[in-house]
Amino acid sequence: MKFFVDTADIADIKELSEAGLIDGVTTNPSLIMKANRPMTEIIADICKVTDGPVSAEVAATDAAEMIREGKVLAAIADNVCIKLPLTLDGLKACKHLTDEGHQTNVTLCFSATQALLAAKAGATYVSPFIGRLDDINIDGMQLIADIRRIFDNYEFDTQILAASIRTLNHVREAALIGADVATVPPATLRSLVKHPLTDKGLETFLADWKKTGQTI
Ligand code: G3P
């Protein structure tokens, strides 16, 4: 499973990229707002610190404008992936932009039938939102499982980009189901490394090693 980091914070992206932990980046208008800088500058800077796909979301809601904005974003760098909302106009724009050779990420997906349409529109990625479904007591992981089964039934190339990830279990279950990518907030990504027994075991090893008086 590939890991993307879900942020527009350059410092986080740089650190995680240098650690070899991420295969790409996803942003959205809310994350761009938090970064409080011009979007084109942020996306350009992110594309310089990672070779992987960098999702940049259009703001328009009609297909023609989505296509125009998508091309503006794609012109920033070769690894820009154009992010489009899962609406009828978003699917139209997805088909057009994908047919022209651009990477596309259809986002705000909350049902398996929506994901099926995104695949038919040729989306490179579809982003089903796990956490936001859990927030309203609908099983977000079941959506990932349903999409995986449907995509496998018809051998769609569209990659499942598990999104709105809040916990380590979301990452674990998405991997068990076979999501192609998980996009994870920086703090959650860092927490994947941690386990109390690892820390405890290392502490014991170091204490015992010190007692040997040896050096390597
Ligand atoms: O960026 C797409 C998605 O990961 C956003 O998730 O946490 O805003 O529900 P969230």
Side-chain angles (χ1 to χ4, degrees):
M1 185 168 78
K2 286 176 275 189
F3 280 105
F4 291 179
V5 64
D6 198 30
T7 185
D9 183 298
I10 291 288
D12 274 329
I13 295 167
K14 200 166 184 304
E15 184 199 5
L16 293 167
S17 187
E18 286 168 357
L21 290 179
I22 59 174
D23 304 295
V25 180
T26 54
T27 69
N28 63 44
S30 302
L31 295 171
I32 295 294
M33 179 190 70
K34 280 180 193 167
N36 196 27
R37 286 176 60 203
M39 178 185 190
T40 50
E41 283 180 22
I42 295 173
I43 298 301
D45 286 350
I46 295 174
C47 289
K48 287 172 191 161
V49 298
T50 179
D51 297 329
V54 176
S55 287
E57 190 161 341
V58 299
T61 53
D62 68 291
E65 264 302 284
M66 286 176 174
I67 291 166
R68 186 193 65 76
E69 289 183 355
K71 290 180 178 177
V72 168
L73 295 173
I76 294 171
D78 291 343
N79 53 329
V80 166
C81 176
I82 303 163
K83 211 174 185 184
L84 301 150
L86 214 159
T87 61
L88 188 56
D89 279 87
L91 294 177
K92 287 177 186 172
C94 174
K95 179 86 174 71
H96 181 99
L97 291 163
T98 306
D99 286 351
E100 285 195 348
H102 297 287
Q103 287 191 84
T104 51
N105 176 0
V106 176
T107 189
L108 289 168
C109 174
F110 294 97
S111 75
T113 44
Q114 281 183 315
L116 176 54
L117 292 177
K120 285 182 68 63
T124 312
Y125 303 98
V126 64
S127 292
F129 280 32
I130 302 167
R132 294 192 193 186
L133 283 170
D134 287 358
D135 291 346
I136 59 169
N137 297 315
I138 294 175
D139 183 356
M141 293 316 302
Q142 187 57 53
L143 173 58
I144 306 294
D146 291 349
I147 296 171
R148 178 73 283 158
R149 186 169 168 192
I150 290 168
F151 281 17
D152 292 349
N153 286 348
Y154 299 98
E155 298 178 346
F156 282 122
D157 292 328
T158 299
Q159 295 183 56
I160 302 170
L161 200 171
S164 189
I165 284 186
R166 306 275 168 76
T167 68
L168 284 68
N169 277 335
H170 281 165
V171 175
R172 174 181 171 274
E173 289 182 42
L176 285 170
I177 289 167
D180 300 284
V181 187
T183 192
V184 188
T188 308
L189 196 51
R190 291 192 179 93
S191 73
L192 296 179
V193 180
K194 302 294 286 176
H195 194 289
L197 289 181
T198 303
D199 296 341
K200 190 172 185 303
L202 183 58
E203 190 181 322
T204 304
F205 284 164
L206 294 176
D208 290 348
W209 176 252
K210 193 174 179 183
K211 290 172 188 168
T212 70
Q214 297 181 53
T215 57
I216 298 172

